[in-house]
Amino acid sequence: MRQLPFLKKKEELEEQVRSNNGVFSVIVRKEFTDFIKSWRIIILLVIIALTCLGSLYTAFTTIKDAISQSEDATGIAKDSYLFLKLFTTSDGTLPPFITFVSFLGPLLGIALGFDAINSERNKGTLTRLMAQPVPRDYVINAKFVAALLVSTILFFSLGLLVMSLGILLIGIPPTLEEFLRVLCFLVLCIAYIAFWLNLGILFSVRFKQAATSALSSIAVWIFFSLFYNMIIDFIGKSYVNPESISSTEEMINKQETILNLLRLSPNYLFSESTSTLLSPSVRTLGPLTMEQTVGAIAGPLPFGQSLLLIWPRLTGLIAATLICFAVSYVLFMRQEIRTN
Amino acid sequence: MSETIITIEELTKIYDDKPAVDRLSLSINKGEVFGLLGPNGAGKSTTIFMLLGLIEPTSGSLQVCGINSTNNPIEVKKLVGYLPDDLGFYQNMSGLENLIYTASLNSIPRKEAETRARRLLEQVGLENAMDKKVGKYSRGMKQRLGLADVLIKEPEIIILDEPTLGIDPKGVQELLKLIKKLNKENNITVLLSSHHLHQVQQICDRVGIFVDGQLLAQGNVEDLAHQLFGEQSYVISVEVKPLHEGLLHELQNIFGVKSIKRVNDSSIDIYCNKEITPEISETIVEQHASLYSINNKSYGLDEIYHLYFEGREIDETTTIP
């Protein structure tokens, strides 16, 4: 029987796709092994694990004190999302879990990404890699996937570990809603880390020296975590001047503008989203007038509503991540492979 | 008898309005060792990168094993092994692991990859260092590992960019011997680039002289001399006193002398198309002049080298006043 030509073509294509997938997973596996073997990442992982356990401990002692004060505390605990407090409270000696994550997450992302391309280039392995039958974008994609895999595994195991320890220590199992909230929080963390990871990769494509790209990534991180808020505060003080504002509407508008400016910072987006997810009592992220709050019954927001509230932030974060990745992808594809 | 394996036609690459490779046409036959010779910055590496499809040519076409490497680089890279000049390995992996990684990038099953890697490491003489981290290898060892790395995909063509760079003379000899052996035994076509004419001449079947993006001449070494210097393949420099017109006239009349160039008061360069040193000395003695020295400077690689690699123009040295 004669085989139709297009059928054969399709089979060949499938064959090619299969072998390419194999090659892709080979690179991912190698990058992943490199990450978990490198001292840089091991040290960061240990620091993150230790601080998280430390903050868990302080949260636990605070909660335990609160529970032991009243008899029907267990009942109250269920209503007030006590389990989530594991992640957000502290007795003041150590910052809570979410603060640690928002601080160390970017550092992990940067550490995973800052020398992705330029170290290969400087060691001369990029030319050798490119001389193999591997599409060029596999290199950058595989590095991204491997780094994302490292942070996903780390954060999910850490989050689940904290949950299980919480159950053991407090003795109150989380409700389904609490569990889902924590899972969403972990996904959010990964999106946040992915942003910094991609920023690192972008700088690693752009800058020839690993030190330059590390320093610029850290500079961006420090800018957003320290100076950006200060600058916006400064602008806000003169912009939202109570003396020049005549109506409530104007006041709200100006306040909104300032908030939107703040939201350009990925750090702010992340902290807004985490507090919404882990503190269900947060009902809105914008300004509220007294009129709006009068008559409102203080109560937790349902999970779906919380999710709805953070949805734009999450998509914004992912969009920023994708933009960084797209820019580095295009830069890398157009770059000369040769080193000199 | 020989079939063409690499065909380059009118290949041009322009960087910032300056051509790095200028209308290069070249064909390399299956099973030969071709040396691409030229000074640094002549465009050798650019040509090689275009052969591998890593750089897109501005114009012109390339065929490697009948495949267009600009449109289909992946297929070409399956058949071609490339050893870069600034060769680097993953330092924290052993030599064997590095080879196996390369093999797996070429979709070679793990078991097969390991046997091939061990065999190749033995072949390049690294069997005792295969489990050592590459970070501890010497330059020569890395170069040999590089050769094994190139061969693990069992290529039809290997392209070596400055393979002898930074290795001691003994290492160079061993490496070149190894390359020649591979060429003979496995019938692998070898394209190597170098600026070390002397090292490369011993293993190349053909060489191409490549300067400022243009291929000036190609062929084996004798052909090259012929192409570059025409018939005047021999230069005999003579130091003689007194150097009078009569003597010059007599010398000019010797059969085979093309022209005579006066270097200074007492020495001349005689350009001729065959070896006539005895006739020249005889003539000088007959003319009652004292011969201080006579020296046969046949146009070999040295002259070719100096002519091109030191940036001089062909016309300046060969025109005789």
Side-chain angles (χ1 to χ4, degrees), chain B residues 136-156:
Chain B
K136 298 204 169 88
Y137 277 30
S138 70
R139 170 87 209 188
M141 284 161 86
K142 270 189 206 159
Q143 205 76 29
R144 278 183 283 159
L145 182 63
L147 204 57
D149 182 71
V150 163
L151 293 169
I152 198 152
K153 62 169 105 163
E154 299 190 333
E156 289 186 25

Side-chain angles (χ1 to χ4, degrees), chain A residues 28-41:
Chain A
V28 172
R29 202 180 309 143
K30 190 237 155 215
E31 293 301 329
F32 189 82
T33 335
D34 275 1
F35 278 137
I36 54 176
K37 273 188 184 168
S38 76
W39 280 108
R40 183 194 336 154
I41 302 302

Side-chain angles (χ1 to χ4, degrees), chain B residues 250-258 272-276 279-280 283:
Chain B
E250 283 299 318
L251 289 173
Q252 188 75 64
N253 285 341
I254 301 172
F255 180 73
V257 171
K258 298 282 287 184
C272 39
N273 53 17
K274 58 178 186 169
E275 170 67 291
I276 46 165
E279 286 92 330
I280 291 173
T283 316

Side-chain angles (χ1 to χ4, degrees), chain A residues 16 19 23 26-27 30 34 120 123-125 127-136 336-339, chain B residues 15 45-46 49 54-55 74-75 77-78 82 84 86 88-90 93 98 101-102 104-107 149 153:
Chain A
Q16 178 134 22
S19 83
V23 170
V26 163
I27 308 181
K30 190 237 155 215
D34 275 1
E120 293 263 356
K123 279 188 289 178
T125 42
T127 22
R128 216 165 48 82
L129 199 59
M130 284 338 299
Q132 310 307 331
V134 177
R136 191 189 281 206
E336 290 272 330
I337 288 297
R338 59 196 307 176
T339 35
Chain B
Y15 280 120
S45 298
T46 310
F49 271 74
L54 294 174
I55 296 180
I74 304 273
E75 288 304 310
K77 284 189 272 187
K78 280 181 187 165
Y82 167 60
D86 59 338
F89 287 97
Y90 296 105
M93 283 156 71
N98 263 296
Y101 181 53
T102 309
S104 54
L105 290 179
N106 284 285
S107 316
D149 182 71
K153 62 169 105 163

Side-chain angles (χ1 to χ4, degrees), chain B residues 28-90:
Chain B
I28 294 168
N29 297 329
K30 196 169 165 54
E32 79 174 334
V33 181
F34 190 90
L36 203 52
L37 299 173
N40 295 331
K44 292 171 292 180
S45 298
T46 310
T47 310
I48 290 173
F49 271 74
M50 284 192 278
L51 278 175
L52 290 166
L54 294 174
I55 296 180
E56 266 184 50
T58 311
S59 66
S61 75
L62 289 147
Q63 296 261 317
V64 178
C65 306
I67 304 163
N68 184 321
S69 41
T70 312
N71 302 338
N72 209 346
I74 304 273
E75 288 304 310
V76 168
K77 284 189 272 187
K78 280 181 187 165
L79 303 169
V80 179
Y82 167 60
L83 181 74
D85 51 350
D86 59 338
L87 147 104
F89 287 97
Y90 296 105

